[in-house]
Amino acid sequence: ELREAQHLAISDPLTGLPNRRGIDSTLNREISRARRHKVPLCLSVLDLDHFKQINDSHGHVIGDMALIHVAHTLKGSLRDVDLLARFGGEEFMVIMPDTALMGAEFGVNRLLQYLLARPLIVDQLEIPLCFSAGVAQWTFDESVLQLIARTDKALYAAKAAGRSRVAVAPAGDEAVSVTQQHKG
């Protein structure tokens, strides 16, 4: 019973993915491992585009189905070492151990293409789903909160550039780079 309660405390009940509490412990552990072994670690925050329109047009039950669909679709296309979690609302987070920034950007773009090719189908209705994402590589002198803040900054740049794209957060004061928009 105790193990079950602990699992429920760190899991999102809708998607079955780790929740924010689960993310925090995993991210802290992965940063410690990256520091100890001097290996790269990347983080991505994905925000479903126009999710409010899905809820408004089709109802919250379909909105929940969309979140579950995204969770299962993305989780099935990640490497075994990567962790997908529900960050909150319609946001997801991907922790990518042993991954440098270029590889993470490629991987998240691949996830976006994968999701775009797999719309949610409910009663013969096709609901396309896509996301905007920010990607950042952890630097050896930053905290978890600083890494998340840089990743969020890149996410907002992707949304501002038109959505359905991935933006990369630089380690220094350089500008965020945004990839081309993906069409579904």
Side-chain angles (χ1 to χ4, degrees), residues 2 5 30 38 55 59-60 80 89 102 122 127 132-133 135 149 158 165:
L2 180 59
E30 288 300 329
K38 296 180 176 42
N55 279 334
H60 287 88
D80 289 340
M102 187 183 297
V122 179
I127 301 170
S132 298
V135 178
R165 59 188 80 217

Side-chain angles (χ1 to χ4, degrees), residues 124-145:
Q124 300 173 358
L125 175 66
E126 224 177 77
I127 301 170
L129 299 166
C130 65
F131 61 77
S132 298
V135 178
Q137 182 173 328
W138 173 74
T139 61
F140 288 93
D141 61 343
E142 76 182 335
S143 70
V144 169
L145 292 178

Side-chain angles (χ1 to χ4, degrees), residues 29-148:
R29 184 179 64 244
E30 288 300 329
I31 284 177
S32 294
R33 193 181 73 74
R35 180 178 286 123
R36 191 172 51 253
H37 296 290
K38 296 180 176 42
V39 294
L41 171 69
C42 281
L43 182 69
S44 182
V45 176
L46 322 172
D47 186 48
L48 296 183
D49 292 330
H50 309 294
F51 184 72
K52 185 177 179 338
Q53 288 179 349
I54 293 171
N55 279 334
D56 291 349
S57 299
H58 306 289
H60 287 88
V61 170
I62 302 298
D64 285 352
M65 291 172 73
L67 292 169
I68 293 166
H69 177 76
V70 168
H72 289 280
T73 300
L74 297 183
K75 186 172 177 150
S77 62
L78 287 171
R79 303 175 307 169
D80 289 340
V81 297
D82 296 333
L83 174 76
L84 177 67
R86 184 156 176 215
F87 194 48
E90 65 271 9
E91 287 187 334
F92 294 85
M93 182 178 279
V94 182
I95 301 171
M96 296 166 274
D98 297 315
T99 306
L101 193 55
M102 187 183 297
E105 179 184 15
F106 176 83
V108 175
N109 271 302
R110 187 179 53 77
L111 286 176
L112 179 53
Q113 289 298 321
Y114 194 77
L115 182 61
L116 284 166
R118 290 158 183 80
L120 174 64
I121 299 172
V122 179
D123 296 331
Q124 300 173 358
L125 175 66
E126 224 177 77
I127 301 170
L129 299 166
C130 65
F131 61 77
S132 298
V135 178
Q137 182 173 328
W138 173 74
T139 61
F140 288 93
D141 61 343
E142 76 182 335
S143 70
V144 169
L145 292 178
Q146 290 168 319
L147 174 61
I148 292 172

